[in-house]
Amino acid sequence: MRHLIRNIIVETPSKPGNLGLVTSAIGAAEGDIGDIKTIKSGPLSTVRDISVTCKDEVHLQQVVQNIETIGNGISIHAVTDDVLKAHEGGKIAMKSTLDVRSLGDLQRVYTPGVASVCLEIEKDPEQAKYFTSIGKSVAIVTDGTAILGLGNIGSVAGMPVMEGKAVLLDHFVGLSGIPILLDTSDPDEVVETIKHIYQGFGAILLEDIGSPHCFEIEERLKAELPIPVMHDDQHGTAVVTLAAVLNACKATGVDPTKAVVGQIGLGAAGLAIVRMLLAYGVKDVFGIDRQPDAMERLHKYGGKSKDSLEDMMAECDIIIATTGVEGLIKPEMVREGQIILALSNPNPEILPTEAIKAGAAFAADGRSVNNVVGFPGIFRGALDAEAKEITYPMLIAAAEAIVNHTRKGELIPTPLDPALHLVVSRAVEEAATLEKKNV
Ligand SMILES: NC(=O)C1=CN([C@@H]2O[C@H](COP(=O)(O)OP(=O)(O)OC[C@H]3O[C@@H](n4cnc5c(N)ncnc54)[C@H](O)[C@@H]3O)[C@@H](O)[C@H]2O)C=CC1
Ligand SMILES: CC(=O)C(=O)O
Ligand SMILES: [Mg+2]
């Protein structure tokens, strides 16, 4: 486990070199340093807030002890849990876009004025696109069965992830994400429930719904609803992974269609990655999963199998892993020059630093190769084009837009760049519009 993030508030005498002593002490204990914020900078002392990721509480204590033994007047004021603090009261809220200060405002926003808008929409339901927020709202639906790699922890425990997705939709592309927490995983009940509520949304984002029931749920909803439906763990992840694979191939001079790719774990994310790579034209895509029915699905879509994880690691140029199993890939399994994308969250199958040390040419984990690079722009583009569904040409257009937006030396662009989501949404909108014209 490596997802204990804590903030250590450290005071050092204001003298060059002291921050270096602190970061070296953290590094010596193998703490992973994130943001460093200066809270107070005075002539005598400086106080900084240093975010550190540790494996667990024992590891955190080692980091703290290393700092405390530096001496030189360096001291720790507090160790805080900023992640928990950020979740106090939740991360989202439904807010109005209008102010209500006068009686006139009240009558425009609510009764009696609102009645005339209702009647306009009753006469012509298409008007709902212009006079309500429906076209900008995305239902984020989970049944809680595959929350990250944490397993079936239930929808309510998964709510922080759903709120997180809503924050990203709002922040990156101005869409409202509304979590819907289901208490059933039965495909008939899930489909029936969504069919009864879909009309309040422009699109449906399925999230952290485990396999294999996620496949039937998505297929049926896509067929039965007139609005875009996408299971992000499947197709959002596949888009971003395709982009990372294309970028890695470009950097290593490999023709992606001729690369030999091995996918470990053929659940929601893994099977969709296989399908996406095959749709793109990669010929040799191998897969492995501990479930026989997952292997059957691999073969149905044209993927090939390997006998063991060891064979897969020995024979493939590019390895992608989405099993949810931390540390599944051992450093001794890594082949010289291999490309390793260990995408499980919160902890990867192998840390990128370990994979590189073991000889990999490129290595990344689920923090950077993450569906957040793709899903905001995919949904925005589909809604802007008024698309009825999200298709493979739209997804491949998204992957190519990500590739074109990647700077030299990067495997995948940062999702913090607002221009990224704009180019992805434009590419998806254009692909959707082209498809409509060709129908
Ligand atoms: N980086 C990203 O953007 C994303 C990462 N993920 C991560 O991928 C992982 C899996 O997510 P889902 O596909 O939604 O879950 P899932 O439960 O649908 O799939 C997991 C699959 O891995 C297989 N598996 C487990 N242990 C295995 C082993 N030792 N060898 C071979 N196969 C094994 C399971 O049988 C199952 O088919 C999670 O940790 C999740 O956080 C998922 C979506 C996006
Ligand atoms: C990123 C994501 O969707 C997951 O790990 O499940
Ligand atoms: Mg997910």
Side-chain angles (χ1 to χ4, degrees), residues 145-150 208-211 214 231-234 237 264-270 288-291 294 321-325 328 343-347 349 365-367 369-372:
T145 52
I147 301 295
L148 311 174
L150 305 175
D208 291 354
I209 298 181
S211 58
C214 65
H231 183 195
D232 191 31
D233 298 286
Q234 292 189 55
T237 314
I264 308 169
L266 298 165
I288 192 164
D289 196 288
R290 58 181 182 184
Q291 307 281 357
T322 55
T323 60
V325 182
L328 181 69
L343 304 186
S344 286
N345 291 315
N347 301 304
E349 286 78 358
D365 60 18
R367 286 173 301 180
V369 181
N370 190 295
N371 49 32
V372 62

mmCIF file of all heavy atoms in Angstrom, residues 145-150 208-211 214 231-234 237 264-270 288-291 294 321-325 328 343-347 349 365-367 369-372, ligand 1:
data_model
loop_
_atom_site.group_PDB
_atom_site.id
_atom_site.type_symbol
_atom_site.label_atom_id
_atom_site.label_comp_id
_atom_site.label_asym_id
_atom_site.label_seq_id
_atom_site.Cartn_x
_atom_site.Cartn_y
_atom_site.Cartn_z
ATOM 1 N N THR A 145 -19.191 -1.570 -6.990
ATOM 2 C CA THR A 145 -18.591 -2.923 -6.988
ATOM 3 C C THR A 145 -17.112 -2.954 -7.367
ATOM 4 O O THR A 145 -16.450 -3.964 -7.127
ATOM 5 C CB THR A 145 -19.372 -3.871 -7.926
ATOM 6 O OG1 THR A 145 -19.477 -3.251 -9.205
ATOM 7 C CG2 THR A 145 -20.745 -4.189 -7.382
ATOM 8 N N ALA A 146 -16.580 -1.898 -7.991
ATOM 9 C CA ALA A 146 -15.138 -1.897 -8.332
ATOM 10 C C ALA A 146 -14.591 -0.489 -8.126
ATOM 11 O O ALA A 146 -14.135 0.173 -9.054
ATOM 12 C CB ALA A 146 -14.919 -2.371 -9.764
ATOM 13 N N ILE A 147 -14.643 -0.028 -6.883
ATOM 14 C CA ILE A 147 -14.198 1.339 -6.581
ATOM 15 C C ILE A 147 -12.668 1.361 -6.636
ATOM 16 O O ILE A 147 -12.006 0.743 -5.797
ATOM 17 C CB ILE A 147 -14.707 1.809 -5.202
ATOM 18 C CG1 ILE A 147 -16.247 1.782 -5.157
ATOM 19 C CG2 ILE A 147 -14.170 3.184 -4.861
ATOM 20 C CD1 ILE A 147 -16.966 2.732 -6.094
ATOM 21 N N LEU A 148 -12.138 2.039 -7.638
ATOM 22 C CA LEU A 148 -10.695 2.001 -7.945
ATOM 23 C C LEU A 148 -10.283 0.522 -7.898
ATOM 24 O O LEU A 148 -10.975 -0.328 -8.419
ATOM 25 C CB LEU A 148 -9.890 2.863 -6.953
ATOM 26 C CG LEU A 148 -10.394 4.297 -6.696
ATOM 27 C CD1 LEU A 148 -9.594 4.968 -5.603
ATOM 28 C CD2 LEU A 148 -10.353 5.131 -7.968
ATOM 29 N N GLY A 149 -9.138 0.217 -7.265
ATOM 30 C CA GLY A 149 -8.773 -1.194 -7.076
ATOM 31 C C GLY A 149 -9.136 -1.663 -5.665
ATOM 32 O O GLY A 149 -8.601 -2.650 -5.181
ATOM 33 N N LEU A 150 -10.048 -0.935 -5.001
ATOM 34 C CA LEU A 150 -10.380 -1.269 -3.612
ATOM 35 C C LEU A 150 -11.427 -2.370 -3.526
ATOM 36 O O LEU A 150 -11.677 -2.906 -2.452
ATOM 37 C CB LEU A 150 -10.886 -0.018 -2.872
ATOM 38 C CG LEU A 150 -9.955 1.206 -2.896
ATOM 39 C CD1 LEU A 150 -10.616 2.409 -2.249
ATOM 40 C CD2 LEU A 150 -8.636 0.893 -2.187
ATOM 41 N N ASP A 208 -16.797 2.807 -12.028
ATOM 42 C CA ASP A 208 -16.431 1.806 -11.024
ATOM 43 C C ASP A 208 -17.500 0.741 -10.810
ATOM 44 O O ASP A 208 -17.791 0.335 -9.671
ATOM 45 C CB ASP A 208 -16.025 2.500 -9.704
ATOM 46 C CG ASP A 208 -14.694 3.249 -9.861
ATOM 47 O OD1 ASP A 208 -14.060 3.124 -10.932
ATOM 48 O OD2 ASP A 208 -14.301 3.966 -8.933
ATOM 49 N N ILE A 209 -18.069 0.314 -11.911
ATOM 50 C CA ILE A 209 -19.003 -0.821 -11.926
ATOM 51 C C ILE A 209 -18.158 -2.021 -12.354
ATOM 52 O O ILE A 209 -17.501 -1.979 -13.396
ATOM 53 C CB ILE A 209 -20.171 -0.560 -12.902
ATOM 54 C CG1 ILE A 209 -20.970 0.673 -12.437
ATOM 55 C CG2 ILE A 209 -21.050 -1.797 -13.032
ATOM 56 C CD1 ILE A 209 -22.161 1.029 -13.293
ATOM 57 N N GLY A 210 -18.127 -3.055 -11.544
ATOM 58 C CA GLY A 210 -17.220 -4.187 -11.788
ATOM 59 C C GLY A 210 -17.607 -5.028 -12.987
ATOM 60 O O GLY A 210 -18.720 -4.921 -13.523
ATOM 61 N N SER A 211 -16.673 -5.870 -13.390
ATOM 62 C CA SER A 211 -16.940 -6.780 -14.494
ATOM 63 C C SER A 211 -17.360 -8.131 -13.923
ATOM 64 O O SER A 211 -16.980 -8.462 -12.797
ATOM 65 C CB SER A 211 -15.699 -6.920 -15.363
ATOM 66 O OG SER A 211 -14.612 -7.379 -14.579
ATOM 67 N N CYS A 214 -20.688 -5.048 -15.787
ATOM 68 C CA CYS A 214 -20.582 -3.718 -16.413
ATOM 69 C C CYS A 214 -20.777 -3.791 -17.939
ATOM 70 O O CYS A 214 -21.291 -2.860 -18.543
ATOM 71 C CB CYS A 214 -19.244 -3.079 -16.089
ATOM 72 S SG CYS A 214 -17.814 -3.943 -16.760
ATOM 73 N N HIS A 231 -19.013 3.917 -20.066
ATOM 74 C CA HIS A 231 -18.370 3.424 -18.849
ATOM 75 C C HIS A 231 -16.923 3.893 -18.904
ATOM 76 O O HIS A 231 -16.135 3.405 -19.705
ATOM 77 C CB HIS A 231 -18.470 1.889 -18.797
ATOM 78 C CG HIS A 231 -17.904 1.311 -17.537
ATOM 79 N ND1 HIS A 231 -17.617 -0.014 -17.397
ATOM 80 C CD2 HIS A 231 -17.584 1.889 -16.351
ATOM 81 C CE1 HIS A 231 -17.140 -0.245 -16.184
ATOM 82 N NE2 HIS A 231 -17.100 0.896 -15.537
ATOM 83 N N ASP A 232 -16.609 4.838 -18.041
ATOM 84 C CA ASP A 232 -15.304 5.500 -18.114
ATOM 85 C C ASP A 232 -14.145 4.544 -17.843
ATOM 86 O O ASP A 232 -13.083 4.656 -18.461
ATOM 87 C CB ASP A 232 -15.284 6.663 -17.113
ATOM 88 C CG ASP A 232 -14.087 7.556 -17.314
ATOM 89 O OD1 ASP A 232 -13.629 7.669 -18.463
ATOM 90 O OD2 ASP A 232 -13.608 8.134 -16.325
ATOM 91 N N ASP A 233 -14.343 3.602 -16.906
ATOM 92 C CA ASP A 233 -13.252 2.650 -16.614
ATOM 93 C C ASP A 233 -12.930 1.815 -17.842
ATOM 94 O O ASP A 233 -11.798 1.358 -18.007
ATOM 95 C CB ASP A 233 -13.635 1.748 -15.445
ATOM 96 C CG ASP A 233 -13.849 2.575 -14.203
ATOM 97 O OD1 ASP A 233 -12.860 3.037 -13.638
ATOM 98 O OD2 ASP A 233 -15.013 2.811 -13.846
ATOM 99 N N GLN A 234 -13.927 1.616 -18.710
ATOM 100 C CA GLN A 234 -13.651 0.908 -19.953
ATOM 101 C C GLN A 234 -13.038 1.890 -20.969
ATOM 102 O O GLN A 234 -11.839 1.873 -21.229
ATOM 103 C CB GLN A 234 -14.932 0.316 -20.550
ATOM 104 C CG GLN A 234 -15.557 -0.815 -19.753
ATOM 105 C CD GLN A 234 -16.686 -1.467 -20.525
ATOM 106 O OE1 GLN A 234 -16.525 -1.916 -21.661
ATOM 107 N NE2 GLN A 234 -17.865 -1.519 -19.921
ATOM 108 N N THR A 237 -10.445 4.977 -20.051
ATOM 109 C CA THR A 237 -9.117 4.420 -19.768
ATOM 110 C C THR A 237 -8.465 3.942 -21.070
ATOM 111 O O THR A 237 -7.263 4.156 -21.291
ATOM 112 C CB THR A 237 -9.248 3.230 -18.789
ATOM 113 O OG1 THR A 237 -10.117 3.620 -17.745
ATOM 114 C CG2 THR A 237 -7.904 2.827 -18.227
ATOM 115 N N ILE A 264 -2.505 -7.359 -18.838
ATOM 116 C CA ILE A 264 -2.710 -8.192 -17.651
ATOM 117 C C ILE A 264 -3.951 -7.686 -16.909
ATOM 118 O O ILE A 264 -3.992 -6.520 -16.503
ATOM 119 C CB ILE A 264 -1.483 -8.134 -16.709
ATOM 120 C CG1 ILE A 264 -0.200 -8.444 -17.486
ATOM 121 C CG2 ILE A 264 -1.642 -9.096 -15.550
ATOM 122 C CD1 ILE A 264 1.079 -8.154 -16.711
ATOM 123 N N GLY A 265 -4.951 -8.565 -16.764
ATOM 124 C CA GLY A 265 -6.225 -8.161 -16.156
ATOM 125 C C GLY A 265 -7.172 -7.759 -17.251
ATOM 126 O O GLY A 265 -6.920 -6.795 -17.992
ATOM 127 N N LEU A 266 -8.260 -8.545 -17.387
ATOM 128 C CA LEU A 266 -9.188 -8.298 -18.502
ATOM 129 C C LEU A 266 -10.576 -7.974 -17.966
ATOM 130 O O LEU A 266 -11.585 -8.480 -18.438
ATOM 131 C CB LEU A 266 -9.234 -9.529 -19.412
ATOM 132 C CG LEU A 266 -7.892 -9.865 -20.073
ATOM 133 C CD1 LEU A 266 -7.920 -11.266 -20.658
ATOM 134 C CD2 LEU A 266 -7.549 -8.843 -21.142
ATOM 135 N N GLY A 267 -10.611 -7.120 -16.933
ATOM 136 C CA GLY A 267 -11.884 -6.660 -16.395
ATOM 137 C C GLY A 267 -12.372 -5.488 -17.236
ATOM 138 O O GLY A 267 -12.120 -5.412 -18.448
ATOM 139 N N ALA A 268 -13.060 -4.549 -16.576
ATOM 140 C CA ALA A 268 -13.624 -3.404 -17.291
ATOM 141 C C ALA A 268 -12.539 -2.675 -18.090
ATOM 142 O O ALA A 268 -12.635 -2.526 -19.314
ATOM 143 C CB ALA A 268 -14.274 -2.466 -16.281
ATOM 144 N N ALA A 269 -11.483 -2.239 -17.401
ATOM 145 C CA ALA A 269 -10.439 -1.455 -18.073
ATOM 146 C C ALA A 269 -9.662 -2.316 -19.072
ATOM 147 O O ALA A 269 -9.477 -1.920 -20.234
ATOM 148 C CB ALA A 269 -9.495 -0.860 -17.028
ATOM 149 N N GLY A 270 -9.224 -3.497 -18.652
ATOM 150 C CA GLY A 270 -8.342 -4.319 -19.482
ATOM 151 C C GLY A 270 -8.962 -4.766 -20.790
ATOM 152 O O GLY A 270 -8.334 -4.662 -21.855
ATOM 153 N N ILE A 288 -4.236 -11.752 -20.372
ATOM 154 C CA ILE A 288 -4.233 -12.795 -19.346
ATOM 155 C C ILE A 288 -5.114 -12.327 -18.190
ATOM 156 O O ILE A 288 -5.149 -11.131 -17.859
ATOM 157 C CB ILE A 288 -2.787 -13.121 -18.892
ATOM 158 C CG1 ILE A 288 -2.787 -14.398 -18.066
ATOM 159 C CG2 ILE A 288 -2.156 -12.000 -18.107
ATOM 160 C CD1 ILE A 288 -1.399 -14.997 -17.916
ATOM 161 N N ASP A 289 -5.877 -13.269 -17.623
ATOM 162 C CA ASP A 289 -6.727 -12.965 -16.472
ATOM 163 C C ASP A 289 -6.916 -14.258 -15.702
ATOM 164 O O ASP A 289 -6.838 -15.347 -16.268
ATOM 165 C CB ASP A 289 -8.101 -12.438 -16.940
ATOM 166 C CG ASP A 289 -8.856 -11.753 -15.816
ATOM 167 O OD1 ASP A 289 -9.336 -12.442 -14.883
ATOM 168 O OD2 ASP A 289 -8.979 -10.509 -15.855
ATOM 169 N N ARG A 290 -7.157 -14.107 -14.390
ATOM 170 C CA ARG A 290 -7.329 -15.334 -13.592
ATOM 171 C C ARG A 290 -8.733 -15.919 -13.759
ATOM 172 O O ARG A 290 -8.994 -17.028 -13.337
ATOM 173 C CB ARG A 290 -6.999 -15.062 -12.133
ATOM 174 C CG ARG A 290 -7.826 -13.978 -11.536
ATOM 175 C CD ARG A 290 -7.473 -13.708 -10.107
ATOM 176 N NE ARG A 290 -8.360 -12.675 -9.616
ATOM 177 C CZ ARG A 290 -8.290 -12.126 -8.438
ATOM 178 N NH1 ARG A 290 -7.354 -12.482 -7.611
ATOM 179 N NH2 ARG A 290 -9.139 -11.207 -8.078
ATOM 180 N N GLN A 291 -9.640 -15.188 -14.389
ATOM 181 C CA GLN A 291 -11.011 -15.684 -14.587
ATOM 182 C C GLN A 291 -11.162 -16.274 -15.995
ATOM 183 O O GLN A 291 -10.927 -15.571 -16.982
ATOM 184 C CB GLN A 291 -12.028 -14.536 -14.477
ATOM 185 C CG GLN A 291 -11.930 -13.712 -13.224
ATOM 186 C CD GLN A 291 -12.584 -14.409 -12.036
ATOM 187 O OE1 GLN A 291 -13.163 -15.494 -12.173
ATOM 188 N NE2 GLN A 291 -12.456 -13.815 -10.873
ATOM 189 N N ALA A 294 -13.254 -14.244 -18.451
ATOM 190 C CA ALA A 294 -12.575 -13.050 -18.990
ATOM 191 C C ALA A 294 -11.721 -13.448 -20.197
ATOM 192 O O ALA A 294 -11.622 -12.701 -21.178
ATOM 193 C CB ALA A 294 -11.707 -12.405 -17.912
ATOM 194 N N ALA A 321 -1.114 -3.183 -17.289
ATOM 195 C CA ALA A 321 -1.719 -3.968 -16.220
ATOM 196 C C ALA A 321 -2.841 -3.193 -15.544
ATOM 197 O O ALA A 321 -2.670 -2.028 -15.183
ATOM 198 C CB ALA A 321 -0.657 -4.357 -15.190
ATOM 199 N N THR A 322 -4.004 -3.841 -15.425
ATOM 200 C CA THR A 322 -5.164 -3.258 -14.724
ATOM 201 C C THR A 322 -5.839 -4.371 -13.916
ATOM 202 O O THR A 322 -6.943 -4.792 -14.233
ATOM 203 C CB THR A 322 -6.188 -2.664 -15.733
ATOM 204 O OG1 THR A 322 -6.544 -3.698 -16.682
ATOM 205 C CG2 THR A 322 -5.659 -1.475 -16.482
ATOM 206 N N THR A 323 -5.144 -4.843 -12.897
ATOM 207 C CA THR A 323 -5.662 -5.964 -12.090
ATOM 208 C C THR A 323 -6.149 -5.505 -10.722
ATOM 209 O O THR A 323 -6.855 -6.241 -10.054
ATOM 210 C CB THR A 323 -4.542 -6.994 -11.829
ATOM 211 O OG1 THR A 323 -3.489 -6.323 -11.123
ATOM 212 C CG2 THR A 323 -4.010 -7.598 -13.106
ATOM 213 N N GLY A 324 -5.705 -4.340 -10.279
ATOM 214 C CA GLY A 324 -5.973 -3.892 -8.913
ATOM 215 C C GLY A 324 -5.034 -4.545 -7.905
ATOM 216 O O GLY A 324 -5.183 -4.346 -6.707
ATOM 217 N N VAL A 325 -4.044 -5.326 -8.389
ATOM 218 C CA VAL A 325 -3.161 -6.057 -7.463
ATOM 219 C C VAL A 325 -1.803 -5.339 -7.356
ATOM 220 O O VAL A 325 -0.985 -5.379 -8.291
ATOM 221 C CB VAL A 325 -2.944 -7.514 -7.934
ATOM 222 C CG1 VAL A 325 -2.064 -8.271 -6.940
ATOM 223 C CG2 VAL A 325 -4.278 -8.222 -8.117
ATOM 224 N N LEU A 328 2.100 -6.841 -8.381
ATOM 225 C CA LEU A 328 1.977 -8.108 -9.136
ATOM 226 C C LEU A 328 3.188 -8.326 -10.066
ATOM 227 O O LEU A 328 3.651 -9.449 -10.251
ATOM 228 C CB LEU A 328 0.673 -8.091 -9.962
ATOM 229 C CG LEU A 328 0.378 -9.329 -10.792
ATOM 230 C CD1 LEU A 328 0.053 -10.520 -9.882
ATOM 231 C CD2 LEU A 328 -0.810 -9.087 -11.737
ATOM 232 N N LEU A 343 -1.378 0.352 -14.369
ATOM 233 C CA LEU A 343 -2.370 1.422 -14.217
ATOM 234 C C LEU A 343 -3.296 1.308 -13.016
ATOM 235 O O LEU A 343 -4.181 2.141 -12.852
ATOM 236 C CB LEU A 343 -3.213 1.499 -15.502
ATOM 237 C CG LEU A 343 -2.399 1.705 -16.789
ATOM 238 C CD1 LEU A 343 -3.337 1.921 -17.969
ATOM 239 C CD2 LEU A 343 -1.451 2.902 -16.655
ATOM 240 N N SER A 344 -3.106 0.270 -12.177
ATOM 241 C CA SER A 344 -4.055 0.129 -11.068
ATOM 242 C C SER A 344 -3.904 1.255 -10.044
ATOM 243 O O SER A 344 -2.803 1.648 -9.688
ATOM 244 C CB SER A 344 -3.874 -1.233 -10.387
ATOM 245 O OG SER A 344 -4.420 -2.224 -11.234
ATOM 246 N N ASN A 345 -5.051 1.719 -9.585
ATOM 247 C CA ASN A 345 -5.117 2.726 -8.525
ATOM 248 C C ASN A 345 -5.672 2.080 -7.263
ATOM 249 O O ASN A 345 -6.486 1.173 -7.363
ATOM 250 C CB ASN A 345 -6.054 3.866 -8.954
ATOM 251 C CG ASN A 345 -5.466 4.675 -10.092
ATOM 252 O OD1 ASN A 345 -4.308 5.022 -10.074
ATOM 253 N ND2 ASN A 345 -6.271 4.962 -11.095
ATOM 254 N N PRO A 346 -5.359 2.492 -6.076
ATOM 255 C CA PRO A 346 -4.398 3.559 -5.812
ATOM 256 C C PRO A 346 -2.946 3.089 -5.883
ATOM 257 O O PRO A 346 -2.046 3.925 -5.851
ATOM 258 C CB PRO A 346 -4.740 3.991 -4.387
ATOM 259 C CG PRO A 346 -5.344 2.782 -3.754
ATOM 260 C CD PRO A 346 -6.033 2.022 -4.850
ATOM 261 N N ASN A 347 -2.716 1.776 -6.023
ATOM 262 C CA ASN A 347 -1.329 1.279 -6.034
ATOM 263 C C ASN A 347 -1.077 0.430 -7.272
ATOM 264 O O ASN A 347 -1.835 -0.500 -7.555
ATOM 265 C CB ASN A 347 -1.072 0.437 -4.779
ATOM 266 C CG ASN A 347 -1.306 1.247 -3.517
ATOM 267 O OD1 ASN A 347 -0.701 2.293 -3.334
ATOM 268 N ND2 ASN A 347 -2.215 0.808 -2.676
ATOM 269 N N GLU A 349 0.812 -2.128 -10.201
ATOM 270 C CA GLU A 349 1.387 -3.476 -10.206
ATOM 271 C C GLU A 349 2.900 -3.401 -10.037
ATOM 272 O O GLU A 349 3.522 -4.332 -9.536
ATOM 273 C CB GLU A 349 1.024 -4.198 -11.509
ATOM 274 C CG GLU A 349 -0.432 -4.659 -11.601
ATOM 275 C CD GLU A 349 -1.424 -3.558 -11.943
ATOM 276 O OE1 GLU A 349 -1.009 -2.388 -12.091
ATOM 277 O OE2 GLU A 349 -2.629 -3.869 -12.052
ATOM 278 N N ASP A 365 2.348 4.911 -14.157
ATOM 279 C CA ASP A 365 1.297 4.278 -13.360
ATOM 280 C C ASP A 365 -0.021 5.021 -13.573
ATOM 281 O O ASP A 365 -0.118 5.914 -14.423
ATOM 282 C CB ASP A 365 1.698 4.184 -11.880
ATOM 283 C CG ASP A 365 1.960 5.553 -11.261
ATOM 284 O OD1 ASP A 365 1.516 6.567 -11.830
ATOM 285 O OD2 ASP A 365 2.602 5.608 -10.192
ATOM 286 N N GLY A 366 -1.035 4.636 -12.782
ATOM 287 C CA GLY A 366 -2.376 5.187 -12.970
ATOM 288 C C GLY A 366 -2.530 6.632 -12.541
ATOM 289 O O GLY A 366 -3.579 7.228 -12.736
ATOM 290 N N ARG A 367 -1.478 7.206 -11.942
ATOM 291 C CA ARG A 367 -1.584 8.626 -11.597
ATOM 292 C C ARG A 367 -1.468 9.488 -12.844
ATOM 293 O O ARG A 367 -2.136 10.503 -12.982
ATOM 294 C CB ARG A 367 -0.498 9.026 -10.597
ATOM 295 C CG ARG A 367 -0.759 8.528 -9.202
ATOM 296 C CD ARG A 367 0.413 8.807 -8.298
ATOM 297 N NE ARG A 367 1.632 8.190 -8.787
ATOM 298 C CZ ARG A 367 2.812 8.275 -8.184
ATOM 299 N NH1 ARG A 367 2.931 8.978 -7.087
ATOM 300 N NH2 ARG A 367 3.863 7.666 -8.678
ATOM 301 N N VAL A 369 -1.186 8.005 -16.390
ATOM 302 C CA VAL A 369 -2.025 7.424 -17.441
ATOM 303 C C VAL A 369 -3.375 7.136 -16.779
ATOM 304 O O VAL A 369 -3.627 6.050 -16.267
ATOM 305 C CB VAL A 369 -1.387 6.150 -18.040
ATOM 306 C CG1 VAL A 369 -2.274 5.583 -19.140
ATOM 307 C CG2 VAL A 369 -0.009 6.478 -18.596
ATOM 308 N N ASN A 370 -4.214 8.158 -16.781
ATOM 309 C CA ASN A 370 -5.459 8.120 -16.010
ATOM 310 C C ASN A 370 -6.584 8.635 -16.894
ATOM 311 O O ASN A 370 -6.376 9.562 -17.686
ATOM 312 C CB ASN A 370 -5.291 9.027 -14.779
ATOM 313 C CG ASN A 370 -6.424 8.863 -13.793
ATOM 314 O OD1 ASN A 370 -7.574 9.173 -14.085
ATOM 315 N ND2 ASN A 370 -6.105 8.369 -12.612
ATOM 316 N N ASN A 371 -7.763 8.046 -16.727
ATOM 317 C CA ASN A 371 -8.853 8.455 -17.620
ATOM 318 C C ASN A 371 -9.252 9.931 -17.483
ATOM 319 O O ASN A 371 -9.938 10.457 -18.358
ATOM 320 C CB ASN A 371 -10.057 7.512 -17.513
ATOM 321 C CG ASN A 371 -10.490 7.251 -16.082
ATOM 322 O OD1 ASN A 371 -10.361 8.103 -15.213
ATOM 323 N ND2 ASN A 371 -11.019 6.045 -15.843
ATOM 324 N N VAL A 372 -8.766 10.622 -16.460
ATOM 325 C CA VAL A 372 -9.059 12.058 -16.346
ATOM 326 C C VAL A 372 -8.496 12.857 -17.535
ATOM 327 O O VAL A 372 -8.990 13.931 -17.870
ATOM 328 C CB VAL A 372 -8.534 12.650 -15.009
ATOM 329 C CG1 VAL A 372 -7.028 12.549 -14.879
ATOM 330 C CG2 VAL A 372 -8.932 14.106 -14.887
HETATM 331 N N1 LIG B 1 -5.512 4.542 -14.583
HETATM 332 C C1 LIG B 1 -6.786 4.585 -14.902
HETATM 333 O O1 LIG B 1 -7.281 5.510 -15.541
HETATM 334 C C2 LIG B 1 -7.678 3.480 -14.485
HETATM 335 C C3 LIG B 1 -7.242 2.497 -13.642
HETATM 336 N N2 LIG B 1 -8.084 1.486 -13.295
HETATM 337 C C4 LIG B 1 -7.587 0.524 -12.320
HETATM 338 O O2 LIG B 1 -7.572 -0.762 -12.863
HETATM 339 C C5 LIG B 1 -7.874 -1.709 -11.847
HETATM 340 C C6 LIG B 1 -8.981 -2.616 -12.332
HETATM 341 O O3 LIG B 1 -10.166 -1.869 -12.537
HETATM 342 P P1 LIG B 1 -11.390 -2.500 -13.320
HETATM 343 O O4 LIG B 1 -10.953 -3.013 -14.641
HETATM 344 O O5 LIG B 1 -12.478 -1.492 -13.249
HETATM 345 O O6 LIG B 1 -11.751 -3.724 -12.345
HETATM 346 P P2 LIG B 1 -12.314 -5.159 -12.698
HETATM 347 O O7 LIG B 1 -12.642 -5.765 -11.394
HETATM 348 O O8 LIG B 1 -13.388 -5.038 -13.722
HETATM 349 O O9 LIG B 1 -11.070 -5.929 -13.378
HETATM 350 C C7 LIG B 1 -9.966 -6.468 -12.715
HETATM 351 C C8 LIG B 1 -9.565 -7.733 -13.488
HETATM 352 O O10 LIG B 1 -8.279 -8.137 -13.074
HETATM 353 C C9 LIG B 1 -8.281 -9.551 -12.942
HETATM 354 N N3 LIG B 1 -7.214 -9.961 -12.034
HETATM 355 C C10 LIG B 1 -7.098 -9.739 -10.711
HETATM 356 N N4 LIG B 1 -5.952 -10.274 -10.233
HETATM 357 C C11 LIG B 1 -5.321 -10.831 -11.276
HETATM 358 C C12 LIG B 1 -4.100 -11.520 -11.426
HETATM 359 N N5 LIG B 1 -3.309 -11.740 -10.381
HETATM 360 N N6 LIG B 1 -3.735 -11.938 -12.668
HETATM 361 C C13 LIG B 1 -4.564 -11.725 -13.723
HETATM 362 N N7 LIG B 1 -5.737 -11.091 -13.642
HETATM 363 C C14 LIG B 1 -6.108 -10.641 -12.441
HETATM 364 C C15 LIG B 1 -9.673 -9.873 -12.409
HETATM 365 O O11 LIG B 1 -10.028 -11.228 -12.623
HETATM 366 C C16 LIG B 1 -10.537 -8.915 -13.241
HETATM 367 O O12 LIG B 1 -10.936 -9.472 -14.466
HETATM 368 C C17 LIG B 1 -8.226 -0.896 -10.602
HETATM 369 O O13 LIG B 1 -7.128 -0.862 -9.738
HETATM 370 C C18 LIG B 1 -8.508 0.485 -11.122
HETATM 371 O O14 LIG B 1 -8.131 1.493 -10.204
HETATM 372 C C19 LIG B 1 -9.353 1.373 -13.792
HETATM 373 C C20 LIG B 1 -9.840 2.331 -14.625
HETATM 374 C C21 LIG B 1 -9.055 3.485 -14.976
#
